[in-house]
Amino acid sequence: RDRLRSRGLGDVYKRQLPSFRGCVNIEYSKLPDNAEIPQSGFRDCHKLKRIEVADSKLYKAEDYAFYNCTALEIIDGWFNSSTLMQHTFDYCPKLESLSLSKNFSMFRGYYTYSWNSEKYEYPFNGTPNIREVNIQSLERWMAIDTRFDSRSSGYAPYFIKKGRTTQGLDNFALKLNGKPVEIITVDGSEYRVKPNTFYGVNTLKKATIGPNVKYIDHHAFFNLSLIHI
């Protein structure tokens, strides 16, 4: 495995996708349509720079799938799992963009509580340079939840209350099918803007809030360059 540099997997049935954990010299991989990357599938592949997904560009990835891929720069595909687990993209310092399909619905982290302290653990630990998030549906983005699983007997909140972006990211461009999200109208069935929904989105310039919106939760539009709301 230490000699493998690239691998095309277009002929591999999606549920038979193997694990390449520790293939330290692999630099590129082309995945089949609707690929399902197992837990730790590319973990510790330190020279992996590019992932490309065939056809529909949809792929799923379990926890630790790209953990410690320190050279990973590009994933040419839409993350299509319903939940992004805490460690899926940990320690990918060169990864600058991520695409989320309309089927994505939850970020997952951990919450630890003791009698004198509490700690929130976010996704993207050690991956500080994501500057672009591409989505397929703005309505889906506004409905995304962040859930914390408790590592103690303490209460595990569903939403971050510490002034951080719901996604564990900050200062990033939000794009809808490749186009920057600059103007939004929140109305219709959306009666509430969830906490931290647009926290740190540097593309948003104008937001129109319709009469059906009853609540705007904390940090929903925090740290933006809004010109008009």
Side-chain angles (χ1 to χ4, degrees):
R1 69 182 184 180
D2 58 348
R3 296 183 180 182
L4 185 63
R5 292 186 179 274
S6 66
R7 178 69 167 97
L9 298 168
D11 58 344
V12 177
Y13 182 64
K14 63 180 181 178
R15 296 188 183 278
Q16 295 176 333
L17 197 66
S19 173
F20 296 95
R21 178 176 181 175
C23 292
V24 294
N25 286 316
I26 191 169
E27 298 176 359
Y28 166 81
S29 182
K30 185 171 183 178
L31 305 180
D33 185 27
N34 286 302
E36 297 181 5
I37 303 170
Q39 182 169 319
S40 301
F42 288 98
R43 181 172 180 169
D44 298 327
C45 293
H46 299 300
K47 293 186 178 181
L48 180 64
K49 293 182 179 180
R50 182 183 178 93
I51 295 283
E52 185 177 345
V53 186
D55 300 331
S56 69
K57 300 290 187 181
L58 298 176
Y59 72 97
K60 295 182 178 181
E62 297 293 336
D63 210 11
Y64 295 95
F66 299 103
Y67 187 92
N68 204 29
C69 290
T70 53
L72 185 62
E73 298 174 357
I74 298 173
I75 301 177
D76 184 11
W78 296 88
F79 182 85
N80 195 44
S81 298
S82 60
T83 301
L84 191 152
M85 303 300 291
Q86 181 189 356
H87 303 295
T88 302
F89 294 100
D90 276 6
Y91 300 103
C92 298
K94 293 187 176 182
L95 187 64
E96 296 184 354
S97 65
L98 186 65
S99 296
L100 303 173
S101 82
K102 61 184 178 182
N103 296 319
F104 174 70
S105 61
M106 182 180 292
F107 291 93
R108 203 152 198 152
Y110 283 100
Y111 171 80
T112 304
Y113 172 81
S114 64
W115 68 273
N116 62 348
S117 66
E118 60 179 359
K119 181 180 180 182
Y120 293 81
E121 298 180 37
Y122 303 86
F124 305 109
N125 184 35
T127 306
N129 293 314
I130 292 181
R131 293 293 174 256
E132 178 182 303
V133 176
N134 197 18
I135 59 176
Q136 292 182 326
S137 167
L138 185 60
E139 291 75 17
R140 181 67 262 167
W141 174 262
M142 294 184 65
I144 289 174
D145 287 336
T146 295
R147 179 168 182 173
F148 285 87
D149 296 320
S150 180
R151 283 199 174 118
S152 67
S153 58
Y155 171 62
Y158 277 76
F159 299 104
I160 298 173
K161 299 180 180 179
K162 297 298 179 182
R164 289 282 300 275
T165 169
T166 302
Q167 301 80 22
L169 304 174
D170 194 7
N171 191 25
F172 63 97
L174 184 64
K175 294 187 175 183
L176 179 61
N177 294 311
K179 296 182 179 180
V181 175
E182 297 180 347
I183 300 173
I184 65 168
T185 299
V186 183
D187 202 359
S189 62
E190 299 294 337
Y191 72 94
R192 187 184 201 116
V193 182
K194 292 183 176 182
N196 310 299
T197 299
F198 295 102
Y199 182 110
V201 175
N202 59 30
T203 53
L204 190 59
K205 304 301 181 184
K206 179 179 178 180
T208 300
I209 309 300
N212 290 326
V213 178
K214 305 302 181 184
Y215 305 97
I216 298 178
D217 273 314
H218 57 83
H219 295 103
F221 295 97
F222 186 78
N223 199 25
L224 305 185
S225 299
L226 276 176
I227 297 174
H228 176 76
I229 187 167

